[in-house]
Amino acid sequence: MEINIGLEKEGREEVAKVLNKYLANLHVLYTKLHNYHWNVEGKNFFQIHSKLEEIYDGTAGEIDEVAERILTIGVRPAASMKEYLELATLEEAESVGIQGKAIIETLLADFTALIKDLREGIEIAGKHGDEVSVDLMIGSLENYEKTSWMFRAFLTE
Ligand SMILES: [Fe+2]
């Protein structure tokens, strides 16, 4: 059925493209957070193990929110692992034992990349008058910025 939410088709499609890439990256992140949750080793085991669980639970909620926003603006979300791996820019990690410090360093780099993408996405959605997608991405941005601060604090010697 025809969509009429006051946004031009071209704009909706461009915003959906941004959101689909974000959705793909969230899936890579979700898997990677589990990988590290399982493979963390060393003296920070308990701390990192439970923190990662808290983060991936948040990522799961975000995945659903982003996919449903894409549908709301009249576009199909990417919905297979094949598409996610094609669209994602974050890299997966091998299943090997890893220390907490190395995990947080990698996640800080991933969050930094997501923050950059979100800032660009906010600008694109804003340009097309899609304030709800802007709001969604600002919420995520706030979360990644705050967690990045915590990661930096953790990494301070
Ligand atoms: Fe677990």
Side-chain angles (χ1 to χ4, degrees):
M1 198 177 161
E2 198 57 37
I3 179 172
N4 185 6
I5 54 170
L7 298 172
E8 296 297 331
K9 185 169 187 278
E10 192 185 84
R12 287 187 286 106
E13 282 172 355
E14 204 182 326
V15 173
K17 205 173 158 193
V18 165
L19 292 176
N20 260 325
K21 180 187 164 189
Y22 184 46
L23 181 65
N25 275 329
L26 288 174
H27 277 86
V28 170
L29 181 66
Y30 184 76
T31 299
K32 201 168 180 176
L33 289 163
H34 278 84
N35 177 334
Y36 293 153
H37 170 76
W38 298 322
N39 285 313
V40 60
E41 289 176 355
K43 63 180 184 341
N44 299 120
F45 175 88
F46 289 106
Q47 198 187 359
I48 302 286
H49 179 74
S50 46
K51 188 68 192 175
L52 295 178
E53 181 171 345
E54 184 191 316
I55 299 175
Y56 68 60
D57 282 345
T59 307
E62 227 189 325
I63 282 172
D64 191 47
E65 206 186 337
V66 172
E68 291 181 359
R69 180 63 196 160
I70 297 169
L71 285 155
T72 301
I73 59 172
V75 180
R76 293 277 163 194
S80 68
M81 297 312 292
K82 185 172 175 284
E83 284 171 286
Y84 295 142
L85 289 174
E86 278 165 11
L87 292 170
T89 47
L90 295 188
E91 305 248 326
E92 297 202 276
E94 265 183 275
S95 186
V96 289
I98 181 166
Q99 295 285 315
K101 185 171 181 281
I103 289 173
I104 300 304
E105 281 169 353
T106 305
L107 291 177
L108 179 58
D110 287 346
F111 279 26
T112 303
L114 290 177
I115 284 169
K116 184 172 175 284
D117 282 358
L118 283 165
R119 285 197 190 289
E120 286 169 14
I122 287 164
E123 202 181 318
I124 291 167
K127 191 180 77 184
H128 293 296
D130 184 352
E131 304 297 359
V132 177
S133 294
V134 167
D135 183 62
L136 184 157
M137 287 188 273
I138 286 175
S140 297
L141 179 61
E142 183 183 0
N143 174 39
Y144 289 114
E145 282 185 350
K146 185 170 183 178
T147 309
S148 295
W149 152 58
M150 292 179 182
F151 286 169
R152 289 194 306 276
F154 177 87
L155 292 169
T156 302
E157 299 290 341

PDB file of all heavy atoms in Angstrom, residues 51-73:
ATOM      1  N   LYS A  51      29.870  -7.082  31.367  1.00  0.00           N
ATOM      2  CA  LYS A  51      29.656  -5.792  30.679  1.00  0.00           C
ATOM      3  C   LYS A  51      29.250  -6.041  29.214  1.00  0.00           C
ATOM      4  O   LYS A  51      28.360  -5.377  28.682  1.00  0.00           O
ATOM      5  CB  LYS A  51      30.938  -4.939  30.735  1.00  0.00           C
ATOM      6  CG  LYS A  51      30.759  -3.531  30.217  1.00  0.00           C
ATOM      7  CD  LYS A  51      29.853  -2.732  31.139  1.00  0.00           C
ATOM      8  CE  LYS A  51      29.401  -1.428  30.524  1.00  0.00           C
ATOM      9  NZ  LYS A  51      28.435  -0.722  31.382  1.00  0.00           N
ATOM     10  N   LEU A  52      29.913  -7.015  28.584  1.00  0.00           N
ATOM     11  CA  LEU A  52      29.604  -7.295  27.176  1.00  0.00           C
ATOM     12  C   LEU A  52      28.179  -7.817  27.020  1.00  0.00           C
ATOM     13  O   LEU A  52      27.496  -7.487  26.050  1.00  0.00           O
ATOM     14  CB  LEU A  52      30.624  -8.268  26.579  1.00  0.00           C
ATOM     15  CG  LEU A  52      32.054  -7.724  26.497  1.00  0.00           C
ATOM     16  CD1 LEU A  52      32.986  -8.777  25.942  1.00  0.00           C
ATOM     17  CD2 LEU A  52      32.126  -6.459  25.659  1.00  0.00           C
ATOM     18  N   GLU A  53      27.733  -8.589  27.989  1.00  0.00           N
ATOM     19  CA  GLU A  53      26.346  -9.075  27.948  1.00  0.00           C
ATOM     20  C   GLU A  53      25.370  -7.893  28.005  1.00  0.00           C
ATOM     21  O   GLU A  53      24.402  -7.833  27.241  1.00  0.00           O
ATOM     22  CB  GLU A  53      26.088 -10.046  29.108  1.00  0.00           C
ATOM     23  CG  GLU A  53      24.671 -10.599  29.086  1.00  0.00           C
ATOM     24  CD  GLU A  53      24.442 -11.728  30.082  1.00  0.00           C
ATOM     25  OE1 GLU A  53      25.423 -12.288  30.594  1.00  0.00           O
ATOM     26  OE2 GLU A  53      23.279 -12.026  30.346  1.00  0.00           O
ATOM     27  N   GLU A  54      25.677  -6.953  28.869  1.00  0.00           N
ATOM     28  CA  GLU A  54      24.828  -5.756  28.981  1.00  0.00           C
ATOM     29  C   GLU A  54      24.805  -4.997  27.641  1.00  0.00           C
ATOM     30  O   GLU A  54      23.740  -4.576  27.179  1.00  0.00           O
ATOM     31  CB  GLU A  54      25.422  -4.876  30.087  1.00  0.00           C
ATOM     32  CG  GLU A  54      24.628  -3.637  30.418  1.00  0.00           C
ATOM     33  CD  GLU A  54      25.435  -2.707  31.336  1.00  0.00           C
ATOM     34  OE1 GLU A  54      26.075  -3.192  32.309  1.00  0.00           O
ATOM     35  OE2 GLU A  54      25.451  -1.503  31.062  1.00  0.00           O
ATOM     36  N   ILE A  55      25.973  -4.882  27.002  1.00  0.00           N
ATOM     37  CA  ILE A  55      26.037  -4.140  25.732  1.00  0.00           C
ATOM     38  C   ILE A  55      25.294  -4.892  24.621  1.00  0.00           C
ATOM     39  O   ILE A  55      24.536  -4.288  23.869  1.00  0.00           O
ATOM     40  CB  ILE A  55      27.505  -3.829  25.330  1.00  0.00           C
ATOM     41  CG1 ILE A  55      28.176  -2.953  26.394  1.00  0.00           C
ATOM     42  CG2 ILE A  55      27.548  -3.110  23.977  1.00  0.00           C
ATOM     43  CD1 ILE A  55      29.653  -2.689  26.154  1.00  0.00           C
ATOM     44  N   TYR A  56      25.474  -6.224  24.513  1.00  0.00           N
ATOM     45  CA  TYR A  56      24.793  -6.908  23.399  1.00  0.00           C
ATOM     46  C   TYR A  56      23.287  -6.995  23.598  1.00  0.00           C
ATOM     47  O   TYR A  56      22.545  -7.049  22.614  1.00  0.00           O
ATOM     48  CB  TYR A  56      25.454  -8.230  22.998  1.00  0.00           C
ATOM     49  CG  TYR A  56      25.413  -9.420  23.938  1.00  0.00           C
ATOM     50  CD1 TYR A  56      24.215  -9.993  24.360  1.00  0.00           C
ATOM     51  CD2 TYR A  56      26.599 -10.023  24.335  1.00  0.00           C
ATOM     52  CE1 TYR A  56      24.205 -11.110  25.187  1.00  0.00           C
ATOM     53  CE2 TYR A  56      26.601 -11.140  25.168  1.00  0.00           C
ATOM     54  CZ  TYR A  56      25.397 -11.675  25.590  1.00  0.00           C
ATOM     55  OH  TYR A  56      25.393 -12.770  26.400  1.00  0.00           O
ATOM     56  N   ASP A  57      22.846  -6.968  24.849  1.00  0.00           N
ATOM     57  CA  ASP A  57      21.390  -6.893  25.067  1.00  0.00           C
ATOM     58  C   ASP A  57      20.849  -5.570  24.508  1.00  0.00           C
ATOM     59  O   ASP A  57      19.783  -5.526  23.889  1.00  0.00           O
ATOM     60  CB  ASP A  57      21.051  -7.018  26.557  1.00  0.00           C
ATOM     61  CG  ASP A  57      21.129  -8.460  27.043  1.00  0.00           C
ATOM     62  OD1 ASP A  57      21.159  -9.377  26.189  1.00  0.00           O
ATOM     63  OD2 ASP A  57      21.168  -8.675  28.268  1.00  0.00           O
ATOM     64  N   GLY A  58      21.603  -4.508  24.698  1.00  0.00           N
ATOM     65  CA  GLY A  58      21.220  -3.203  24.141  1.00  0.00           C
ATOM     66  C   GLY A  58      21.254  -3.221  22.623  1.00  0.00           C
ATOM     67  O   GLY A  58      20.364  -2.671  21.962  1.00  0.00           O
ATOM     68  N   THR A  59      22.271  -3.876  22.067  1.00  0.00           N
ATOM     69  CA  THR A  59      22.410  -3.967  20.608  1.00  0.00           C
ATOM     70  C   THR A  59      21.214  -4.705  19.998  1.00  0.00           C
ATOM     71  O   THR A  59      20.711  -4.321  18.939  1.00  0.00           O
ATOM     72  CB  THR A  59      23.730  -4.682  20.229  1.00  0.00           C
ATOM     73  OG1 THR A  59      24.794  -4.029  20.901  1.00  0.00           O
ATOM     74  CG2 THR A  59      23.979  -4.657  18.732  1.00  0.00           C
ATOM     75  N   ALA A  60      20.749  -5.755  20.682  1.00  0.00           N
ATOM     76  CA  ALA A  60      19.598  -6.524  20.180  1.00  0.00           C
ATOM     77  C   ALA A  60      18.370  -5.621  20.069  1.00  0.00           C
ATOM     78  O   ALA A  60      17.643  -5.662  19.066  1.00  0.00           O
ATOM     79  CB  ALA A  60      19.314  -7.709  21.101  1.00  0.00           C
ATOM     80  N   GLY A  61      18.161  -4.792  21.060  1.00  0.00           N
ATOM     81  CA  GLY A  61      17.026  -3.860  21.034  1.00  0.00           C
ATOM     82  C   GLY A  61      17.162  -2.853  19.903  1.00  0.00           C
ATOM     83  O   GLY A  61      16.196  -2.529  19.215  1.00  0.00           O
ATOM     84  N   GLU A  62      18.391  -2.389  19.713  1.00  0.00           N
ATOM     85  CA  GLU A  62      18.665  -1.403  18.675  1.00  0.00           C
ATOM     86  C   GLU A  62      18.424  -1.984  17.278  1.00  0.00           C
ATOM     87  O   GLU A  62      17.884  -1.313  16.400  1.00  0.00           O
ATOM     88  CB  GLU A  62      20.137  -1.007  18.806  1.00  0.00           C
ATOM     89  CG  GLU A  62      20.364   0.465  18.775  1.00  0.00           C
ATOM     90  CD  GLU A  62      21.825   0.807  18.678  1.00  0.00           C
ATOM     91  OE1 GLU A  62      22.678   0.093  19.244  1.00  0.00           O
ATOM     92  OE2 GLU A  62      22.120   1.798  17.996  1.00  0.00           O
ATOM     93  N   ILE A  63      18.827  -3.246  17.091  1.00  0.00           N
ATOM     94  CA  ILE A  63      18.645  -3.931  15.810  1.00  0.00           C
ATOM     95  C   ILE A  63      17.166  -3.903  15.414  1.00  0.00           C
ATOM     96  O   ILE A  63      16.801  -3.540  14.288  1.00  0.00           O
ATOM     97  CB  ILE A  63      19.185  -5.383  15.902  1.00  0.00           C
ATOM     98  CG1 ILE A  63      20.714  -5.369  15.795  1.00  0.00           C
ATOM     99  CG2 ILE A  63      18.553  -6.295  14.843  1.00  0.00           C
ATOM    100  CD1 ILE A  63      21.383  -6.707  16.065  1.00  0.00           C
ATOM    101  N   ASP A  64      16.314  -4.245  16.355  1.00  0.00           N
ATOM    102  CA  ASP A  64      14.878  -4.288  16.073  1.00  0.00           C
ATOM    103  C   ASP A  64      14.330  -2.890  15.777  1.00  0.00           C
ATOM    104  O   ASP A  64      13.548  -2.699  14.841  1.00  0.00           O
ATOM    105  CB  ASP A  64      14.163  -4.912  17.277  1.00  0.00           C
ATOM    106  CG  ASP A  64      12.718  -5.227  16.964  1.00  0.00           C
ATOM    107  OD1 ASP A  64      12.460  -5.821  15.897  1.00  0.00           O
ATOM    108  OD2 ASP A  64      11.843  -4.887  17.782  1.00  0.00           O
ATOM    109  N   GLU A  65      14.798  -1.935  16.542  1.00  0.00           N
ATOM    110  CA  GLU A  65      14.334  -0.559  16.372  1.00  0.00           C
ATOM    111  C   GLU A  65      14.722  -0.010  14.994  1.00  0.00           C
ATOM    112  O   GLU A  65      13.903   0.629  14.308  1.00  0.00           O
ATOM    113  CB  GLU A  65      14.963   0.295  17.480  1.00  0.00           C
ATOM    114  CG  GLU A  65      14.160   1.511  17.843  1.00  0.00           C
ATOM    115  CD  GLU A  65      14.883   2.420  18.838  1.00  0.00           C
ATOM    116  OE1 GLU A  65      15.774   1.932  19.569  1.00  0.00           O
ATOM    117  OE2 GLU A  65      14.575   3.611  18.847  1.00  0.00           O
ATOM    118  N   VAL A  66      15.954  -0.264  14.591  1.00  0.00           N
ATOM    119  CA  VAL A  66      16.450   0.245  13.308  1.00  0.00           C
ATOM    120  C   VAL A  66      15.699  -0.431  12.144  1.00  0.00           C
ATOM    121  O   VAL A  66      15.240   0.243  11.209  1.00  0.00           O
ATOM    122  CB  VAL A  66      17.985   0.045  13.171  1.00  0.00           C
ATOM    123  CG1 VAL A  66      18.466   0.381  11.770  1.00  0.00           C
ATOM    124  CG2 VAL A  66      18.713   0.889  14.208  1.00  0.00           C
ATOM    125  N   ALA A  67      15.548  -1.761  12.211  1.00  0.00           N
ATOM    126  CA  ALA A  67      14.853  -2.485  11.131  1.00  0.00           C
ATOM    127  C   ALA A  67      13.405  -1.996  11.000  1.00  0.00           C
ATOM    128  O   ALA A  67      12.904  -1.796   9.881  1.00  0.00           O
ATOM    129  CB  ALA A  67      14.885  -3.985  11.401  1.00  0.00           C
ATOM    130  N   GLU A  68      12.753  -1.771  12.118  1.00  0.00           N
ATOM    131  CA  GLU A  68      11.356  -1.332  12.069  1.00  0.00           C
ATOM    132  C   GLU A  68      11.219   0.115  11.595  1.00  0.00           C
ATOM    133  O   GLU A  68      10.232   0.477  10.967  1.00  0.00           O
ATOM    134  CB  GLU A  68      10.680  -1.579  13.430  1.00  0.00           C
ATOM    135  CG  GLU A  68      10.533  -3.101  13.659  1.00  0.00           C
ATOM    136  CD  GLU A  68       9.870  -3.501  14.959  1.00  0.00           C
ATOM    137  OE1 GLU A  68       9.505  -2.628  15.756  1.00  0.00           O
ATOM    138  OE2 GLU A  68       9.724  -4.724  15.168  1.00  0.00           O
ATOM    139  N   ARG A  69      12.249   0.912  11.858  1.00  0.00           N
ATOM    140  CA  ARG A  69      12.246   2.289  11.312  1.00  0.00           C
ATOM    141  C   ARG A  69      12.349   2.239   9.786  1.00  0.00           C
ATOM    142  O   ARG A  69      11.699   3.014   9.082  1.00  0.00           O
ATOM    143  CB  ARG A  69      13.399   3.109  11.913  1.00  0.00           C
ATOM    144  CG  ARG A  69      13.465   4.542  11.389  1.00  0.00           C
ATOM    145  CD  ARG A  69      12.229   5.336  11.772  1.00  0.00           C
ATOM    146  NE  ARG A  69      12.093   6.566  10.993  1.00  0.00           N
ATOM    147  CZ  ARG A  69      10.950   7.239  10.853  1.00  0.00           C
ATOM    148  NH1 ARG A  69       9.843   6.820  11.451  1.00  0.00           N
ATOM    149  NH2 ARG A  69      10.910   8.332  10.133  1.00  0.00           N
ATOM    150  N   ILE A  70      13.185   1.335   9.268  1.00  0.00           N
ATOM    151  CA  ILE A  70      13.347   1.212   7.816  1.00  0.00           C
ATOM    152  C   ILE A  70      11.997   0.848   7.188  1.00  0.00           C
ATOM    153  O   ILE A  70      11.577   1.436   6.184  1.00  0.00           O
ATOM    154  CB  ILE A  70      14.441   0.168   7.468  1.00  0.00           C
ATOM    155  CG1 ILE A  70      15.811   0.638   8.003  1.00  0.00           C
ATOM    156  CG2 ILE A  70      14.520  -0.052   5.957  1.00  0.00           C
ATOM    157  CD1 ILE A  70      16.907  -0.419   7.952  1.00  0.00           C
ATOM    158  N   LEU A  71      11.292  -0.094   7.791  1.00  0.00           N
ATOM    159  CA  LEU A  71       9.960  -0.470   7.295  1.00  0.00           C
ATOM    160  C   LEU A  71       8.981   0.701   7.397  1.00  0.00           C
ATOM    161  O   LEU A  71       8.155   0.919   6.502  1.00  0.00           O
ATOM    162  CB  LEU A  71       9.421  -1.673   8.081  1.00  0.00           C
ATOM    163  CG  LEU A  71      10.075  -2.997   7.687  1.00  0.00           C
ATOM    164  CD1 LEU A  71       9.998  -3.994   8.819  1.00  0.00           C
ATOM    165  CD2 LEU A  71       9.428  -3.567   6.426  1.00  0.00           C
ATOM    166  N   THR A  72       9.089   1.450   8.479  1.00  0.00           N
ATOM    167  CA  THR A  72       8.190   2.592   8.699  1.00  0.00           C
ATOM    168  C   THR A  72       8.334   3.637   7.587  1.00  0.00           C
ATOM    169  O   THR A  72       7.357   4.285   7.221  1.00  0.00           O
ATOM    170  CB  THR A  72       8.460   3.215  10.092  1.00  0.00           C
ATOM    171  OG1 THR A  72       8.244   2.214  11.081  1.00  0.00           O
ATOM    172  CG2 THR A  72       7.563   4.405  10.368  1.00  0.00           C
ATOM    173  N   ILE A  73       9.556   3.769   7.057  1.00  0.00           N
ATOM    174  CA  ILE A  73       9.731   4.735   5.961  1.00  0.00           C
ATOM    175  C   ILE A  73       9.590   4.058   4.587  1.00  0.00           C
ATOM    176  O   ILE A  73      10.019   4.592   3.562  1.00  0.00           O
ATOM    177  CB  ILE A  73      11.052   5.549   6.087  1.00  0.00           C
ATOM    178  CG1 ILE A  73      12.294   4.653   6.091  1.00  0.00           C
ATOM    179  CG2 ILE A  73      11.018   6.424   7.332  1.00  0.00           C
ATOM    180  CD1 ILE A  73      13.616   5.423   6.012  1.00  0.00           C
TER     181      ILE A  73
END
